[in-house]
Amino acid sequence: MTGKASHEVGWIGLGRMGEAMATRLVKAGFGLSVWNRTASKADPLAKIGAEVVTDKMAMAHCVSVITMVSTTDDLKDILFGKGGVLTGNARPRRVVDMSSISDSGSAEIRRQLDGAGVAYLSAPVSGNAKVAKAGKLLVVASGPRAEYDAVQPLLAALGRAAMYVGEGELSRVWKIAHNTMFGVIIQSLCEITLLAEKAGIPRHVFLESINQSVLGSMYTRYKTPALVNLDFTTTFTPKLLLKDMELGMAAGRAYGVVMPAASATRDSIMSLSHQYPGDIDFSVLLLELARAAGMKLEPENVPVSDGLA
């Protein structure tokens, strides 16, 4: 299709997260126009009723354009590059970006959108594609409060809650802090799991005890099946986690905050990304730490809950 997108809500970016989130909106009853660089990735959305748009400029006729892409450069290209959403005469009312990008990159995009008369919300999320499919994402947004209020029902439909944290790029700072902790927790969880196993406690027993303790969380629960059965089907790669740890360290330097635990984790994840540069889940960190401990792990083949059902 070219010309005009038919729906008030447009969605750009149908990777693992984007497809899961857009699917949830369609199933919640929102009319959705979608665009993706690889057009075939829009097929599952078309099958459930979304309108597939082949021209990014057509998305400018939507009231709200939601973006979920990999990098700041990807977002800039989609909005302002050749044939981008804002390169024609039409303008959406607002752009809501849900990607994990830096606060400085997001601020630059905000300035460009402001100059084009388009409102901008930064709205990153907590959770992976599996969490999105289970309807348990948390959306955290920043920008003009009136724009957040206008799209709050849309954001809330993506998961269990949507929160407003303030003006400008504060949600980006939140996301950077969140994902830095994300890395530190998986590092610690793998270390203590190996300690317990080497002492004689089976992984599934130890992890279930952690999940039932004051330390248990949605995160420890949904990573438990991977760690127990060594199923490293990708939710988030070591390379992407390294990107986020680097953002965390840069934020620490910018704000003058000492982050020794995050620094050690960043080095560990850098090593992991060299050993596993491809499409594999970052929880493969367990194997690397086991190797360093002189351990050879085997899947326990025990059915365990991820806590998302």
Side-chain angles (χ1 to χ4, degrees):
M1 164 189 164
T2 57
K4 296 182 179 181
S6 302
H7 296 296
E8 288 194 356
V9 181
W11 188 284
I12 293 177
L14 296 171
R16 287 188 194 91
M17 283 293 289
E19 182 189 346
M21 294 165 71
T23 296
R24 185 160 183 84
L25 286 184
V26 174
K27 290 183 175 179
F30 290 92
L32 207 64
S33 298
V34 302
W35 181 90
N36 193 71
R37 182 179 287 115
T38 305
S40 61
K41 289 189 176 181
D43 292 346
L45 272 297
K47 289 178 181 177
I48 61 171
E51 174 191 43
V52 178
V53 174
T54 57
D55 180 0
K56 293 192 295 295
M57 290 173 62
M59 300 292 267
H61 295 276
C62 299
V63 176
S64 301
V65 174
I66 305 174
T67 53
M68 186 61 164
V69 297
S70 296
T71 68
T72 304
D73 287 342
D74 289 333
L75 183 56
K76 288 179 180 177
D77 183 63
I78 283 165
L79 295 176
F80 311 114
K82 184 178 180 181
V85 175
L86 297 180
T87 57
N89 294 322
R91 293 287 183 270
R93 172 72 183 84
R94 65 185 63 87
V95 169
V96 181
D97 180 60
M98 310 193 79
S99 316
S100 293
I101 63 174
S102 69
D103 52 346
S104 59
S106 187
E108 182 183 345
I109 289 165
R110 185 181 300 279
R111 288 191 292 271
Q112 289 182 264
L113 287 173
D114 284 348
V118 178
Y120 180 59
L121 277 178
S122 304
V125 302
S126 172
N128 59 26
K130 198 170 184 180
V131 176
K133 289 176 183 177
K136 296 188 177 182
L137 288 179
L138 170 66
V139 181
V140 175
S142 64
R145 180 65 196 238
E147 298 300 328
Y148 171 77
D149 290 341
V151 297
Q152 194 276 341
L154 184 71
L155 299 180
L158 286 166
R160 57 195 173 93
M163 296 178 62
Y164 178 77
V165 295
E167 295 288 337
E169 310 314 321
L170 287 178
S171 66
R172 303 297 186 186
V173 178
W174 174 87
K175 179 64 172 180
I176 289 167
H178 171 278
N179 278 20
T180 301
M181 186 175 179
F182 196 77
V184 171
I185 292 175
I186 195 64
Q187 178 77 29
S188 180
L189 187 63
C190 288
E191 289 175 2
I192 62 170
T193 298
L194 292 171
L195 173 64
E197 180 170 1
K198 200 164 189 181
I201 305 174
R203 288 196 304 280
H204 71 281
V205 173
F206 177 73
L207 285 163
E208 178 59 19
S209 72
I210 290 294
N211 292 338
Q212 294 295 337
S213 78
V214 295
L215 297 174
S217 67
M218 183 186 297
Y219 182 35
T220 65
R221 290 182 183 93
Y222 79 63
K223 297 314 291 186
T224 288
L227 299 181
V228 168
N229 297 316
L230 309 186
D231 178 3
F232 303 119
T233 302
T234 308
T235 63
F236 201 64
T237 66
K239 184 178 179 181
L240 288 174
L241 182 55
L242 176 62
K243 179 197 79 168
D244 286 349
M245 296 305 298
E246 297 282 15
L247 289 174
M249 297 310 300
R253 289 190 295 272
Y255 290 102
V257 176
V258 178
M259 301 172 68
S263 180
T265 300
R266 176 261 181 200
D267 290 348
S268 176
I269 300 302
M270 172 172 277
S271 175
L272 184 71
S273 71
H274 291 318
Q275 298 301 317
Y276 297 91
D279 191 19
I280 192 168
D281 193 69
F282 66 90
S283 55
V284 74
L285 175 65
L286 186 73
L287 295 187
E288 281 302 289
L289 294 177
R291 183 179 59 80
M295 301 167 68
K296 183 172 176 57
L297 303 186
E298 298 292 341
E300 290 188 340
N301 298 318
V302 175
V304 290
S305 171
D306 61 7
L308 296 177

